[in-house]
Amino acid sequence: MVNVLSHGKIESLIREISARPVIDPKEESMANENFDADLIVIGAGPGGYVAAIRAAQLGAKVICVEKEYLGGTCLNWGCIPSKAMIASVERMQDAKHGADLGVVIDGTISMDFKKMMERKEKIVQTQRGGVGYLFKKNKIEHVEGFAKFVDVHTIEVEKDGNKKTLRAKNFVLAMGSSVIHIPVPGLDGRRAEGVWTSDDAVTADHVPGRMLILGGGAVGVEFSYVFSGVGSEVTLVEMMPTLIPMFDEELGKELGKQLGRNGVKVKTGAALEKCEKVAGGWKCTVKTGSQVEEIEVDVVLLGVGRKANTDGMNLEGIGVKLHRRGVEVIDDTLQTHVPNIYAIGDVTGRIQLAHVASHEGIIAVHNILEGKAEKAQYKAVPNCVYTVPEVASVGLTEEQAKTQGYDVKIGKATFRPNGKAMAAGHQDGFVKVVVDAKYGEILGLHMIGSHVTDMIHEGVAALNLEATLDSMIMSIHAHPTMAEVVLEAYEDAHGLAIHKA
């Protein structure tokens, strides 16, 4: 009986083993032998190159495909070159007011626009080379060309008519976005016809005598400051009631005043209704309320409108879903509807900020390589504008907090009486804090003034740590610093401001 049972068990075991699928040794080794990389990152902007480096740090074999320049839009046509231009204008303005600080400068103070742009380009080249160096250091293969998907594991990269096929286990889509020409009746043309985008502005070869800049967001206000500073007669048109409408309303109003003092003709609540080509430029019809005026300019700069770079990549063909603003992700893990493909940065059409793309790149890579499901965090995203004075914001605005049902307390302090601000000759602006009245939690911090883009991170930390007003008031701020004004705003929200008149 025992022998019969044993024999039956053996037969059963044989049948079970026979029923299991046979594993092809070639298929089993594909991950190691038939893939060119563990991860291919498409795009080398601040999202893509950061993702590539982090993946290499985690031990992955990484390829980064970039159709143009390392560093993407931010480094080559956006953040970096525009800040270099702003710095030149700010330095010239400081020199013009040097006498206020006892500095004697003989002769005329002016801008050599060619040298200014040469310096800008040198900075861009240096930064671009720095990304290349980091790729070499981390053994990341850089492939130049345009990537198109063949299947979920395969892309074809084309450059100058030559094609190369690459396979990877996983992909990160980091193609970024590009400027677009938004339609304005009668405005037809490109750079040669005096119709500029921000890409044209950072590569300009001359200073237009007269400019109309459409859009009072970060791009519009920054270029208004630059070109007004180098001698253009600038008209800035924004359809919303205040400039930088994504920020706290008080910041936009104050920035409008400051740009006005610098010679910019700021028109808010206004629309560019149509344009007509005339000798040497454009006749622009601008409507502000019931008032209509015609403004003749040499250049119209379109400071609004960007589009995710997804065309021609066969993304939908392999199952990656798109929406009207870009690539659709399932959730904040950044995974697309194709499990081995993730998307980050501008290409998702969500928050179009370089530092958000970098954060998302790191989250995506850890999720891919470590099997995690971590989500990107957007509670405390700093938003900065680099005009003079600068603008910086994090968290909820006063209006947003009230709309979400918070009973809010507001604290506000100006830079005018601050010792460091007075010594430096940069007294314009203020700090505003939004606080939950019930629990004292810091909900938002908003600033306009000198160096506020460097100071905003106090607010980022406070929001991430769910800090209260009491804890921030007890945080010692060095004296003399501009940051003391932040402390003064906290104290004002508590009703205990020391220096408030």
Side-chain angles (χ1 to χ4, degrees), residues 212-216 235-243 265-273 285-293 295:
L212 184 144
I213 299 180
L214 181 60
T235 300
L236 175 60
V237 177
E238 166 57 44
M239 70 176 189
M240 298 300 286
T242 60
L243 298 180
K265 297 175 183 176
V266 178
K267 297 184 181 298
T268 54
L272 177 58
E273 293 203 316
T285 301
V286 177
K287 185 176 182 180
T288 308
S290 60
Q291 180 185 353
V292 178
E293 61 182 316
I295 303 168

Side-chain angles (χ1 to χ4, degrees), residues 469-486:
L469 193 58
D470 287 340
S471 65
M472 297 312 293
I473 286 174
M474 293 306 294
S475 300
I476 298 174
H477 289 61
H479 174 77
T481 63
M482 306 284 280
E484 289 177 279
V485 180
V486 183

Side-chain angles (χ1 to χ4, degrees), residues 107-120:
T108 303
I109 299 170
S110 60
M111 179 67 72
D112 185 329
F113 189 72
K114 182 181 178 182
K115 285 188 177 179
M116 166 180 156
M117 299 303 277
E118 287 173 350
R119 174 181 179 270
K120 177 270 305 180

Side-chain angles (χ1 to χ4, degrees), residues 357-372:
S358 298
H359 170 71
E360 290 177 337
I362 289 172
I363 295 295
V365 163
H366 280 278
N367 286 341
I368 291 168
L369 298 179
E370 299 177 340
K372 295 182 177 181

Side-chain angles (χ1 to χ4, degrees), residues 79-150:
C79 319
I80 303 305
S82 61
K83 303 315 165 277
M85 295 169 75
I86 288 169
S88 291
V89 174
E90 182 180 17
R91 193 65 56 86
M92 182 176 68
Q93 297 291 353
D94 284 343
K96 285 184 175 180
H97 295 94
D100 297 340
L101 280 72
V103 178
V104 178
I105 301 175
D106 294 325
T108 303
I109 299 170
S110 60
M111 179 67 72
D112 185 329
F113 189 72
K114 182 181 178 182
K115 285 188 177 179
M116 166 180 156
M117 299 303 277
E118 287 173 350
R119 174 181 179 270
K120 177 270 305 180
E121 186 59 26
K122 183 177 180 180
I123 291 169
V124 169
Q125 296 279 1
T126 301
Q127 290 273 309
R128 190 189 300 162
V131 176
Y133 167 77
L134 290 173
F135 272 18
K136 289 180 181 178
K137 178 185 176 183
N138 288 281
K139 297 180 173 58
I140 297 166
E141 183 181 351
H142 170 211
V143 175
E144 295 182 0
F146 180 83
K148 178 180 179 180
F149 277 90
V150 177

Side-chain angles (χ1 to χ4, degrees), residues 296-317:
E296 289 198 14
V297 297
D298 305 297
V299 166
V300 176
L301 195 164
L302 301 174
V304 290
R306 296 194 69 84
K307 182 182 182 299
N309 294 326
T310 58
D311 292 348
M313 294 185 65
N314 191 35
L315 291 170
E316 290 182 299

